[in-house]
Amino acid sequence: MANTSKISSLDRTFSTAGLERLRLRLVKNQADLKRKLSACPSENEIELGELCLRELSETVSMEHLRKDWLDIEKQSNTILPHAYKTKIKKSNRRINRLGKKLWKYSKILRDLEEKAGLAPRLGPDAHRAYVPILLKLYKDPSSFYTRSMNLQINMKEKAIKKYASHVGAPKGQLWCPILGDYYPSKAFKAVHIVPHALGPELVDYVFGPGAGSRLDSADNCLLMHRDAQLHFDSGSIVLVPAVPSETPIKTWKIRITNWAPAAGGDKAGLKSLGDLENTIVNFRHTDERPAVRFLYFRFALTLLRNKRDRTPGWEHYFRELSIGRPFAAMGPYIRKSMMVTLARAAGHFYGVYEANVLGTEGKELFAERRVLGDREEEEVARRILRVKDEDDED
């Protein structure tokens, strides 16, 4: 125990020194940018726009740094748990507001560059790869897609058929593979694994061409009781391969990634959250399974979002992950540059490290030639991390 405490103390000291150096560098960068902004002629709109974007990016980095300082205060017991949680939540909101502002200015700058002939005009007939995602990012005023009631009903019907949830069920009931029992059909939800709100354009970019066409198919859906859905959507549970060497993957198990009680977990006689840990997902009457790439994405996204929000237990699961590697060499499934950008957006300055951990040293990631720039991928990452948040302001 004494040795562990010594290591933790050294880690904190190193982290504190490293964060202070980073803070000083960010303060210097911000001061330099303010001087450049004040000296830039107002008629030079493009240069002013670039400087404004750089200043906003530095401000976002400073906000992430504040969260890291809060972590150190928590480790040293110099901040109360409630105050820590409140400040982390406020910081996340500020980061999102800054991200929205940064993208608003990016769109304005893009328009100026197009008018000046410094950037190709975007349109449906533009000759560039991934034109749909560029049009979605720059020209569509809405960030997310909405889901109609008809779409939800169709998804549920597709999922019932694909996973044979009605087979052997008592009248008016369906089988829940997460809870492992039959329940009234009205209590079931067709749950998107990759959120529908992202839209096919973003999904094509993250997973590769053609993936967007599967967004609203049963490949991207799990049928489960609404109480299980609460655990799944809140980031309390993920599905991982029970036998990583199995090809194709048919056997999945549940891992708990948030040990804080989830709403509704014990009502109506359903299993508690703790009862689900390491249980096998029982599809019962079928060999059909969701797409592995989508389940891997949900797994990685849940861990990154839990880290961003400092959800109870996130540190433990990251430590375990680097040893256990629940997804082992089954890819590649996700664009590597996007995983790195997502890791950074979740609050880590060393996104490559976390992307490699989540991707089993890159084996679930593909390194296709980049089409989007850094700011464009950062906006995609912001939308991915925000799409399911209760406090979403988009």
Side-chain angles (χ1 to χ4, degrees):
M1 179 66 72
N3 188 42
T4 302
S5 299
K6 183 178 180 181
I7 292 173
S8 298
S9 177
L10 287 171
D11 285 345
R12 282 200 299 272
T13 302
F14 175 78
S15 297
T16 302
L19 290 179
E20 178 60 16
R21 287 194 297 271
L22 182 56
R23 186 189 70 81
L24 291 173
R25 188 163 72 245
L26 289 172
V27 169
K28 181 180 182 300
N29 290 347
Q30 287 178 320
D32 290 343
L33 285 166
K34 286 185 184 298
R35 282 194 296 270
K36 291 178 181 179
L37 277 166
S38 62
C40 185
S42 58
E43 61 270 16
N44 196 339
E45 294 179 310
I46 292 178
E47 184 179 354
L48 274 173
E50 282 288 355
L51 289 170
C52 285
L53 288 174
R54 287 170 58 191
E55 185 184 37
L56 277 171
S57 294
E58 294 293 323
T59 306
V60 170
S61 295
M62 185 65 82
E63 201 63 53
H64 281 300
L65 185 64
R66 287 195 181 97
K67 290 176 64 178
D68 289 336
W69 277 114
L70 286 170
D71 290 338
I72 290 177
E73 290 181 31
K74 179 174 178 284
Q75 291 169 9
S76 58
N77 295 317
T78 57
I79 186 172
L80 294 174
H82 177 72
Y84 170 78
K85 182 178 179 181
T86 299
K87 289 184 177 182
I88 288 291
K89 190 171 184 178
K90 286 182 178 179
S91 192
N92 283 339
R93 286 175 172 171
R94 283 195 293 268
I95 289 170
N96 182 62
R97 285 196 295 269
L98 287 166
K100 288 173 66 177
K101 190 175 182 180
L102 197 153
W103 188 245
K104 177 183 176 181
Y105 287 176
S106 294
K107 291 168 74 173
I108 293 172
L109 181 61
R110 173 79 193 204
D111 286 340
L112 291 171
E113 289 175 336
E114 286 186 11
K115 290 175 183 176
L118 299 175
R121 288 190 176 275
L122 285 176
D125 297 323
H127 296 289
R128 276 191 67 182
Y130 290 99
V131 166
I133 189 174
L134 291 169
L135 289 171
K136 176 64 182 174
L137 290 173
Y138 283 107
K139 305 302 182 181
D140 193 332
S142 62
S143 295
F144 300 123
Y145 282 86
T146 57
R147 183 171 54 187
S148 69
M149 182 61 71
N150 285 339
L151 175 63
Q152 183 67 17
I153 292 172
N154 289 338
M155 280 285 288
K156 185 174 181 179
E157 291 174 351
K158 290 177 186 176
I160 291 172
K161 184 176 180 179
K162 178 180 175 88
Y163 301 120
S165 305
H166 59 295
V167 175
K171 186 177 180 179
Q173 296 191 359
L174 295 170
W175 175 259
C176 176
I178 304 297
L179 300 179
D181 207 344
Y182 293 104
Y183 297 98
S185 58
K186 291 182 179 180
F188 277 74
K189 298 287 186 179
V191 182
H192 276 77
I193 300 168
V194 176
H196 165 83
L198 291 179
E201 300 93 349
L202 270 64
V203 171
D204 269 345
Y205 186 74
V206 173
F207 296 100
S213 64
R214 303 168 70 189
L215 183 61
D216 295 319
S217 73
D219 292 343
N220 184 39
C221 179
L222 281 166
L223 189 72
M224 62 181 77
H225 189 281
R226 59 183 172 230
D227 285 2
Q229 179 203 11
L230 287 174
H231 293 320
F232 190 73
D233 282 348
S234 68
S236 297
I237 62 173
V238 291
L239 271 56
V240 300
V243 185
S245 60
E246 186 180 26
T247 305
I249 304 297
K250 294 292 185 182
T251 312
W252 296 84
K253 66 179 179 180
I254 300 166
R255 294 302 313 272
I256 298 176
T257 53
N258 176 7
W259 284 94
D266 292 310
K267 70 179 184 180
L270 301 182
K271 294 181 178 180
S272 67
L273 183 60
D275 292 335
L276 299 178
E277 173 70 348
N278 279 317
T279 59
I280 299 297
V281 181
N282 187 352
F283 287 94
R284 199 170 178 88
H285 295 296
T286 181
D287 286 333
E288 294 285 349
R289 300 291 185 270
V292 177
R293 69 179 59 235
F294 295 152
L295 286 171
Y296 167 66
F297 171 83
R298 186 68 180 230
F299 160 82
L301 178 59
T302 297
L303 264 62
L304 288 173
R305 189 180 282 130
N306 283 354
K307 178 179 181 179
R308 179 202 62 180
D309 298 339
R310 304 308 195 259
T311 301
W314 73 265
E315 307 101 320
H316 165 79
Y317 205 77
F318 261 97
R319 284 196 299 269
E320 178 185 307
L321 176 62
S322 64
I323 300 171
R325 305 195 186 285
F327 280 79
M330 299 180 298
Y333 296 135
I334 296 178
R335 185 183 297 273
K336 183 171 184 176
S337 62
M338 270 312 311
M339 183 61 79
V340 172
T341 305
L342 274 168
R344 287 179 178 150
H348 201 295
F349 290 102
Y350 305 101
V352 174
Y353 168 76
E354 281 190 3
N356 285 342
V357 171
L358 291 170
T360 315
E361 298 179 350
K363 294 176 182 177
E364 273 72 51
L365 313 175
F366 63 84
E368 184 179 294
R369 180 179 64 85
R370 285 189 66 176
V371 178
L372 301 185
D374 288 344
R375 288 191 190 123
E376 292 160 344
E377 285 203 345
E378 286 166 6
E379 172 61 11
V380 173
R382 187 189 73 86
R383 295 185 187 193
I384 289 172
L385 287 169
R386 287 292 295 175
V387 71
K388 294 293 287 185
D389 289 354
E390 292 181 357
D391 297 321
D392 203 337
E393 302 166 19
D394 286 341

